[in-house]
């Protein structure tokens, strides 16, 4: 008999007719399960996620093309600007989540984010069509270059617009998912199972938005115009805001207490340190405590346990960072591999290297329903637990698949290098290797499957295990795994490039036929193996947060 079934024998039955404890409606009145939350509210949030990911990736996926094209920046300047912006968009959710959980509330944070999205995308569209804001183009026959390219004002307007989107991302990314999960009661067995399923469908919705954006908006931006390419995200977000607000009467709002979570947490960490220093002294003292001091002690103990539960999350977070490095290769080195291959589907259709990224998101779209409706129900019958597998087991499964991904990528790269040697193309970096693009498709599919396990597992884990009042911060921590992983990947590649280039050809030589990114893939496979070992060690001793049933 599983641990969940054993717990149910000792827990009182849930009063499904009474009001939900800790939640209110938009007017501040008590809410009931039958008239609020659930999938009715969840669908409004899923629609918002499709729209926001469509808009965000519609800009980010092709940003460097605009920077080096209409804006006229050099490759180095454009890459630095794009990396700084994406890095900011990865860090700002931590700040946005803190503001939401301590002051704004998740609903208001999402509303603010959507308004900032509309404003940012609208300003980007204006910067690409209005003559005072649009950079004048330099032509090859022009003799006077002082009057072409962007002015300081035009650059400032463009980047203010762009960073408004990054700020909106800071509020939207952690709060939308947290608010969506809030619509399911963790203490109700049926709704708890639905909440676990909601995380799967959230990633499904996100992947749909990204896939459509990569295919549709990139084509519009390259072939129709940047004004429409930047304007469509603004229009989509206006519609998304209307739909989101339309569902207001159905939402459950987490009731924020008078005590702000971060000030309380700061005091708790101080108490935790003080307790550890004075514990030995207190053991030797005896005496009677009055009712007031006993209440204060009990209250302090509960807060200290809350602080300890947060500290226990850190090893799980730290041992997931290598996955973030592995994930970053999908848009960088995988892309470089693909660019050298024969990418013709027919004699007239050439597949862009970046388009293969959609193989990963399409895999997610296809695999999530299979996982949620087929795999989990089967595992649930075997394990006798509502979730089928635990959250940490799910993450570990994804880490194992990411290890296989790196092995497959290394083997494909070895095959590519051997093919280049066989056809005498080693010193012809621009030549097409007579090797089909289908060789790299499996590694995109594998990283997509790994995402369904690891990324969704981390989302649910950090939401579920954080204190109720800090769940937006928990989701920001999950997001930082991928953001910091991308930074670590950049640092690792730079260090290896500097070391290997001094002793011969760099692993990341501009001539990819003389490079050895296969060595880098093997290195990542080794790091992932170590990561899995450490993750399993810390997971084995992890104690999940207890759920308290409401009578």
């Amino acid at each position: 008999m599983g641990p969940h079934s054993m717990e149910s024998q000792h827990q009182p039955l849930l009063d499904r007719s009474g009001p939900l404890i800790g939640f209110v409606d938009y007017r501040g009145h008590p809410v009931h399960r039958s008239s609020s939350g659930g999938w009715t509210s969840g669908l409004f949030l899923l629609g918002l996620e499709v729209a926001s990911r469509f808009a965000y990736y519609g800009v980010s996926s092709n940003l460097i093309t605009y920077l080096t094209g209409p804006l006229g920046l050099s490759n180095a300047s454009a890459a630095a600007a794009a990396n700084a912006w994406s890095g900011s968009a990865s860090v700002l959710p931590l700040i946005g989540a803190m503001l939401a959980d301590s002051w704004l509330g998740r609903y208001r944070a999402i509303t603010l984010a959507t308004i900032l999205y509309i404003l940012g995308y609208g300003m980007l569209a204006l910067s690409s069509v209005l003559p005072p804001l649009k950079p004048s183009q330099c032509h090859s026959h022009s003799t006077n270059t002082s009057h072409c390219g962007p002015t300081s004002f035009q650059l400032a307007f463009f980047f203010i617009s762009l960073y408004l989107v990054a700020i909106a991302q800071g509020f939207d990314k952690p709060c939308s998912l947290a608010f969506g999960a809030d619509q399911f009661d963790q203490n109700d067995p049926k709704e708890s199972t639905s909440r676990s399923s909601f995380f799967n469908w959230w990633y499904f919705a996100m992947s749909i938005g990204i896939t459509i954006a990569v295919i549709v908006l990139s084509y519009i931006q390259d072939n129709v115009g940047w004004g429409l390419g930047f304007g469509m995200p603004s229009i989509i977000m206006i519609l998304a805001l209307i739909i989101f607000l339309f569902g207001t009467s159905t939402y459950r709002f987490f009731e924020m207490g008078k005590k702000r979570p971060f000030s309380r947490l700061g005091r708790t960490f101080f108490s935790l340190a003080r307790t550890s220093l004075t514990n030995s002294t207190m053991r030797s003292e005896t005496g009677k405590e009055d009712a007031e001091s006993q209440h204060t002690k009990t209250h302090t103990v509960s807060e200290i346990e809350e602080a300890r539960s947060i500290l226990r999350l850190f090893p799980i977070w730290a041992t997931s960072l290598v996955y973030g490095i592995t994930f970053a290769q999908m848009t960088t080195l995988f892309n470089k591999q693909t660019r050298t291959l024969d990418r013709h589907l027919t004699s007239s259709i050439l597949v862009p290297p970046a388009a293969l990224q959609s193989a990963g998101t399409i895999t997610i779209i296809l695999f999530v329903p299979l996982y949620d409706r087929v795999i989990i129900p089967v595992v649930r019958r075997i394990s006798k637990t509502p979730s089928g597998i635990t959250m940490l087991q799910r993450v570990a499964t994804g880490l194992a698949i990411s290890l296989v991904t790196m092995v497959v990528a290394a083997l494909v790269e070895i095959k590519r290098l051997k093919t280049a040697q066989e056809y005498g193309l080693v010193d012809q970096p621009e030549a097409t290797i007579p090797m089909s693009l289908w060789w790299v498709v499996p590694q995109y599919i594998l990283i997509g499957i790994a995402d369904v396990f690891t990324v969704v597992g981390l989302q649910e884990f950090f939401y579920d295990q954080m204190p109720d009042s800090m769940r937006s911060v928990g989701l920001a921590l999950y997001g930082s795994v991928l953001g910091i992983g991308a930074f670590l990947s950049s640092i690792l590649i730079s260090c290896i490039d500097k070391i290997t280039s001094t002793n011969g050809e760099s692993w990341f030589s501009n001539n990819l036929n003389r490079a050895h990114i296969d060595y880098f893939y093997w290195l990542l496979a080794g790091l992932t193996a170590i990561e899995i070992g450490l993750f399993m060690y810390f997971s084995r001793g992890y104690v999940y947060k207890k759920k308290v049933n409401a009578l």
Side-chain angles (χ1 to χ4, degrees):
M1 184 180 293
H4 291 273
S5 58
M6 289 178 66
E7 289 178 7
S8 63
Q9 294 177 359
H10 301 284
Q11 292 176 346
L13 293 175
L14 203 66
D15 181 9
R16 300 184 62 87
S17 61
L20 282 168
I21 295 177
F23 289 90
V24 295
D25 65 8
Y26 70 101
R27 295 168 298 186
H29 298 163
V31 293
H32 296 76
R33 289 182 181 83
S34 59
S35 59
S36 68
W39 283 109
T40 300
S41 300
L43 289 174
F44 287 108
L45 277 302
L46 290 176
L48 178 66
E49 178 66 5
V50 172
S52 63
R53 292 310 91 194
F54 170 85
Y56 181 81
Y57 281 91
V59 171
S60 65
S61 64
N62 213 21
L63 176 61
I64 198 162
T65 302
Y66 185 82
L67 295 177
T68 56
L71 213 59
L73 300 185
S74 67
N75 287 335
S77 297
N83 286 333
W85 178 71
S86 62
S88 299
S90 297
V91 173
L92 285 172
L94 288 169
I95 300 174
M98 291 179 184
L99 290 174
D101 284 348
S102 62
W103 176 49
L104 272 177
R106 290 159 197 162
Y107 175 84
R108 286 192 290 269
I110 296 168
T111 304
L112 175 61
T114 311
I115 293 172
L116 289 175
Y117 275 140
I118 294 168
L119 183 61
Y121 294 132
M123 289 171 63
L124 284 174
L126 293 176
S127 72
S128 64
V129 295
L130 292 183
L133 302 175
K134 181 181 178 182
S136 56
Q137 299 301 299
C138 293
H139 302 285
S140 58
H141 59 270
S142 176
T143 57
N144 185 4
T145 59
S146 62
H147 298 292
C148 64
T151 64
S152 297
F153 173 74
Q154 290 168 341
L155 280 174
F157 188 88
F158 174 82
F159 280 107
I160 288 172
S161 308
L162 198 62
Y163 274 87
L164 278 176
V165 174
I167 294 171
Q169 174 90 342
F171 286 108
D172 169 50
K173 194 66 176 173
C175 297
S176 293
L177 180 52
F179 189 64
D182 286 345
Q183 307 310 309
F184 301 90
D185 182 14
Q186 66 175 351
N187 298 313
D188 181 277
K190 184 178 179 180
E191 288 199 16
S192 179
T193 301
S194 294
R195 192 185 74 177
S196 183
S197 181
F198 177 78
F199 282 96
N200 295 328
W201 291 105
W202 181 271
Y203 209 60
F204 176 86
M206 185 184 78
S207 299
I208 288 178
I210 295 172
T211 302
I212 296 173
V214 170
I215 295 173
V216 175
L217 281 184
S218 61
Y219 176 84
I220 291 174
Q221 291 161 356
D222 290 346
N223 298 281
V224 179
W226 289 97
L228 182 60
F230 286 153
M232 278 188 66
S234 184
I235 295 171
I236 290 295
M237 291 311 300
I238 291 173
L239 297 175
L241 177 60
I242 294 171
I243 294 172
F244 172 70
L245 294 177
F246 187 75
T248 299
S249 62
T250 73
Y251 299 145
R252 297 172 183 172
F253 295 77
F254 180 76
E255 196 171 18
M256 298 177 68
K258 294 181 180 179
K259 292 184 178 180
R260 297 310 182 202
F262 294 100
S263 59
R264 187 186 75 237
L265 190 63
R267 292 193 302 270
T268 303
F269 279 126
F270 176 76
S271 298
L272 182 61
R274 186 178 60 185
T275 300
S276 63
L277 290 174
T278 60
N279 221 17
S280 58
T281 306
M282 292 176 65
R283 285 196 199 100
S284 60
E285 296 179 357
T286 58
K288 294 183 179 180
E289 296 176 321
D290 57 25
E292 182 178 355
S293 64
Q294 182 64 39
H295 173 76
T296 302
K297 180 179 178 182
T298 302
H299 184 66
T300 303
V301 167
S302 65
E303 290 185 347
I304 288 176
E305 184 55 36
E306 181 179 276
R308 284 174 174 157
S309 70
I310 295 174
L311 292 176
R312 284 197 293 267
L313 297 176
F314 178 76
I316 303 298
W317 176 86
T319 53
S320 301
L321 289 175
V322 175
Y323 181 82
I325 301 176
T326 301
F327 182 83
Q329 308 318 310
M330 184 169 67
T331 57
T332 53
L333 295 183
F334 284 10
N335 193 303
K336 286 183 174 290
Q337 270 184 301
T338 307
R339 187 172 292 276
T340 66
L341 303 179
D342 181 3
R343 293 177 280 113
H344 284 91
L345 288 182
T346 67
S347 58
S348 59
I349 299 178
L350 183 68
V351 178
L356 273 187
Q357 294 175 32
S358 63
T361 54
I362 290 173
T363 298
I364 294 170
I365 292 171
L366 296 175
F367 189 72
V368 165
L370 177 67
Y371 177 85
D372 192 72
R373 299 300 178 186
V374 178
I375 296 176
I376 285 301
V378 171
V379 177
R380 189 181 292 139
R381 292 191 193 98
I382 298 172
S383 64
K384 307 298 183 184
T385 60
S387 60
I389 58 176
T390 67
M391 290 172 279
L392 292 179
Q393 287 172 343
R394 180 172 185 167
V395 175
T397 302
L399 296 181
I401 296 173
S402 72
L403 171 59
V404 176
T405 304
M406 287 296 98
V407 171
V408 169
L411 294 175
V412 170
E413 178 61 11
I414 291 173
K415 167 68 176 175
R416 194 192 67 82
L417 291 174
K418 287 183 178 179
T419 304
Q421 291 175 349
E422 291 172 2
Y423 285 85
L425 301 174
V426 172
D427 294 315
Q428 300 180 43
E430 301 300 322
T432 299
I433 306 297
M435 182 174 164
S436 172
L437 65 84
W438 295 107
W439 278 90
V440 296
V441 170
Q443 61 204 56
Y444 282 101
I445 292 175
L446 284 169
I447 199 68
I449 295 174
D451 261 15
V452 174
F453 284 96
T454 299
V455 173
V456 182
L458 287 173
Q459 285 177 345
E460 185 176 3
F461 176 77
F462 281 107
Y463 172 87
D464 187 80
Q465 296 301 297
M466 286 291 283
D468 293 354
S469 59
M470 299 175 62
R471 281 174 162 171
S472 298
V473 176
L475 289 171
L477 283 174
Y478 129 75
S480 69
V481 169
L482 301 181
I484 294 176
F487 283 124
L488 291 177
S489 174
S490 178
I491 294 170
L492 191 59
I493 289 174
S494 297
C495 292
I496 292 174
D497 180 56
K498 188 174 293 185
I499 293 171
T500 56
S501 59
T502 58
N503 299 320
E505 200 77 45
S506 168
W507 283 12
F508 309 101
S509 171
N510 288 332
N511 180 0
L512 209 62
N513 298 332
R514 286 194 173 276
H516 274 292
I517 60 175
D518 55 327
Y519 292 172
F520 183 65
Y521 290 151
W522 287 120
L523 174 63
L524 290 185
L527 291 175
T528 302
I530 296 172
E531 175 188 49
I532 292 172
L534 292 172
F535 184 88
M536 295 295 290
Y537 173 78
F538 289 112
S539 298
R540 190 177 296 115
Y542 185 82
V543 179
Y544 285 88
K545 185 177 74 172
K546 293 181 180 179
K547 298 177 181 179
V548 180
N549 282 345
L551 294 177

